[in-house]
Structure formats: structure tokens, C-alpha cells
């Protein structure tokens, strides 16, 4: 059974940086597609960044150029480096995992694609 544990959230001022980490347990990270999502109260969950098993990355337009997703398969860890944070980045950030699938192709930032989720880490950007 895959389990995910996020960390690295906190409260920062606009323009500052945070790095989120997500550690996977229960399986090898190899061949897993992974992603970061975020959600604020009263809003739907938003796909932020994805890192596929074959090395592809994708970002939402709202974070492109500021956030960087990366993965260390040996450490079973997914990262999200968040720079130049804005108040609108405030949200609960979730790590999501998609185990190897027989079906070819998927939507990397679609919530329904992912099977396992962490409990989230809170990011608050304010003065």
C-alpha cells in the first residue's frame, strides 16, 4: 500500500521561498507518475506541477517560471521548489501518486488520474 507524507509548508511573506517534500513508502518510486496539487477552501483542487515516470514535467500557467518540480527516485522523494511566492499561492498542498498503469497516456494535472494522496501541508503567504 502506497503512503505519502508531505512536509515543508509554513507561513512566509510575499517574495520568499519554500521547498515542499513528499516521501513515498510502500513501493518503489520508479515508474510512478507523481504530482503536486493545491486547494483552498470553497475551491476545487488545482493541479500545480507533475513529474512523470519517463521524465516529463508539466506546470500550471499560474506557477510556471516560479515553481520547479523534481524527484529523487533513490530517496523516494518528490520536491516542489516554490520561489517568488504570492498571496494567491496560499493553499493546502497535496502530493499525489499514480502507480504504473497498463493504459497508455494520461492527463498529468488531472485529479482523477491519481490513486494515492498525502494529507497535505499548509502554505500561507501573507504580510
Amino acid at each position: 500500500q502506497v503512503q505519502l507524507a508531505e512536509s515543508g509548508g509554513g507561513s512566509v511573506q510575499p517574495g520568499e521561498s519554500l521547498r515542499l517534500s513528499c516521501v513515498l513508502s510502500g513501493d518503489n518510486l520508479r515508474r510512478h507518475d507523481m504530482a503536486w496539487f493545491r486547494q483552498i477552501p470553497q475551491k476545487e483542487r488545482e493541479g500545480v506541477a507533475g513529474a512523470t515516470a519517463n521524465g516529463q514535467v508539466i506546470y500550471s500557467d499560474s506557477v510556471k517560471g516560479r515553481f520547479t518540480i523534481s524527484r529523487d527516485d533513490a530517496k523516494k522523494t518528490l520536491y516542489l521548489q516554490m520561489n517568488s511566492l504570492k498571496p494567491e499561492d496560499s493553499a493546502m498542498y497535496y502530493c499525489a501518486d499514480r502507480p504504473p498503469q497498463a493504459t497508455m497516456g494520461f492527463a498529468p494535472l488531472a485529479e482523477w488520474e491519481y490513486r494515492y494522496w498525502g494529507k497535505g501541508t499548509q502554505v500561507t503567504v501573507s504580510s
Side-chain angles (χ1 to χ4, degrees):
Q1 180 75 21
V2 169
Q3 293 182 320
L4 304 172
E6 304 100 330
S7 63
S11 182
V12 298
Q13 296 183 347
E16 295 184 342
S17 299
L18 285 172
R19 190 179 76 158
L20 307 184
S21 299
C22 171
V23 179
L24 178 147
S25 62
D27 200 4
N28 296 317
L29 196 62
R30 184 177 61 88
R31 302 310 305 164
H32 287 237
D33 303 307
M34 303 188 73
W36 289 98
F37 289 76
R38 66 187 182 187
Q39 187 172 29
I40 61 176
Q42 314 302 318
K43 298 292 185 180
E44 70 275 11
R45 193 165 297 184
E46 173 192 13
V48 175
T52 71
N54 63 11
Q56 297 179 339
V57 298
I58 186 169
Y59 299 94
S60 68
D61 289 340
S62 62
V63 308
K64 193 174 301 181
R66 299 187 297 118
F67 291 10
T68 303
I69 189 171
S70 61
R71 56 192 289 164
D72 186 333
D73 288 5
K75 296 182 178 180
K76 299 182 178 181
T77 304
L78 180 74
Y79 302 97
L80 185 67
Q81 179 67 45
M82 306 186 295
N83 297 329
S84 302
L85 283 163
K86 305 174 180 179
E88 51 263 44
D89 295 318
S90 297
M92 183 72 74
Y93 283 72
Y94 297 92
C95 176
D97 173 79
R98 181 179 186 265
Q101 301 289 311
T103 303
M104 299 297 295
F106 78 107
L109 299 183
E111 180 181 3
W112 57 266
E113 291 275 16
Y114 294 88
R115 183 180 301 173
Y116 301 104
W117 297 81
K119 295 186 179 297
T121 184
Q122 180 68 45
V123 172
T124 302
V125 185
S126 66
S127 299

